[in-house]
Amino acid sequence: MMTDGGKETGKAGNIPDIRMIYPSLPSMLGKFDKYARQDCFAGTTREELVLWQQRMRRLLSGLLGIPKMETCPLNAVVEDVVLLPGNIRREHIRIQVEPEVWMPLYLLVPAGADASTRPFICPPGHNGAGKYTVAGLSRYQAVEERIRHYHYDYGMQLAKLGYVAVCPDCRGFGERREDLADAQSLETALGGDCYRLAHMGIPLGIPVAGMLVWDLMRLVDYLEERQKTEALTPSGLGEHTAGPGGPVPEAVAGPETYPARSGGPAWDSRKVSCLGFSGGGMQTLFLAALDERISLGVISGYLYGYRDALLTMNRNCSCNYVPHLWEHLDMGDIASLIAPRPLLVQSCREDRLNGPRGVANAVEQVEIIRKAYELMETPGRLVHEICQGTHRWHGEHLEIHLGQLLSSCD
């Protein structure tokens, strides 16, 4: 037997016999309590709240690195179009969000969609191969398993309810992986490259969350631009460039040519909404807070206090971490920037991401948001749905909640 410092360590090559550790977390929790949330709203009037929202949007935009992002023409390309069961038209499109940066997406357009239809941007979360789960491509076994486990096909669920659903790949997922081999391997295809993006961006002052939010802002630009184009050229596809692959029939159904549509705009860009689960909820939170063109938000599985959920549970994905953010705001403060626009927050009681105190961590943040809506005299535009079970999306009552939120705006 070998010894090290008088202690027996077992066979040669075994790890050191450590019986006590000295972690940094207790100290960091103390620093959080001392320095966090210095810019929370402290006023008492609606006018003060509106001024605070304007200041915080500027602050948050800077923390996310938005001023460093670069605009360019959208250069939309249609890769293929198929007609799915239920007469839902699925367009595979890519748009240019920055010079040399492309965002592929699926656009789900239900039958009967017209210039009054509400479009939902549906950003994906983790562990679902990006847009494939959200758009409901269940013919792939690994994708189908994630859809079943997380109820992940919320884009398709919205399309079946009659809404237009826009299901993008966020950076690092699906067709936006950094290495092609990672997109082609079963072991890695469902994951993402957030840590690589963080290593690239954070030293430049551009955290991953800022990249994702910028891309979604460009997606709103696309919805606005295409609506205007189709109003002028009601061809069903507007002024898009045809992709190299041409039309591709769906495996279960679909013609060999582009399915016809009645022509004219298929959505109302004044009604652009955003619904996301988990990491998609994070994107929805930041997008709706910063971009007032988002008329309604649905945040599922991602609204809780930073101290419990991201500091104590510090093994979460690097896309969650924005330098200096916690010094200024907590999640409830950020979501207060959405008021008075309609907002549905969905939490699950047994979601481990709530942190060690459970759903109480989420409830505390919703109460911060509720005060903003009350000050705006629009308390009915905030709904907090607490569901049973673990980390997953719940669409069972979505139609009811959306009806309630939209009626509160009448």
Side-chain angles (χ1 to χ4, degrees), residues 15 38 79 130 191 202 273 300 313 387 398:
I15 61 173
Q38 295 179 31
E79 303 286 3
I202 286 178
S273 305
S300 174
M313 297 177 63
C387 306
L398 178 61

Side-chain angles (χ1 to χ4, degrees), residues 273-324:
S273 305
C274 192
L275 183 156
F277 163 70
S278 194
M282 177 194 74
Q283 295 175 66
T284 302
L285 170 67
F286 283 121
L287 176 66
L290 284 179
D291 196 330
E292 295 181 87
R293 294 176 296 175
I294 301 302
S295 66
L296 181 151
V298 180
I299 301 170
S300 174
Y302 195 91
L303 208 147
Y304 29 63
Y306 284 128
R307 189 184 195 275
D308 280 12
L310 291 178
L311 176 52
T312 301
M313 297 177 63
N314 48 62
R315 295 186 182 184
N316 275 295
C317 182
S318 53
C319 64
N320 293 281
Y321 296 91
V322 177
H324 298 287

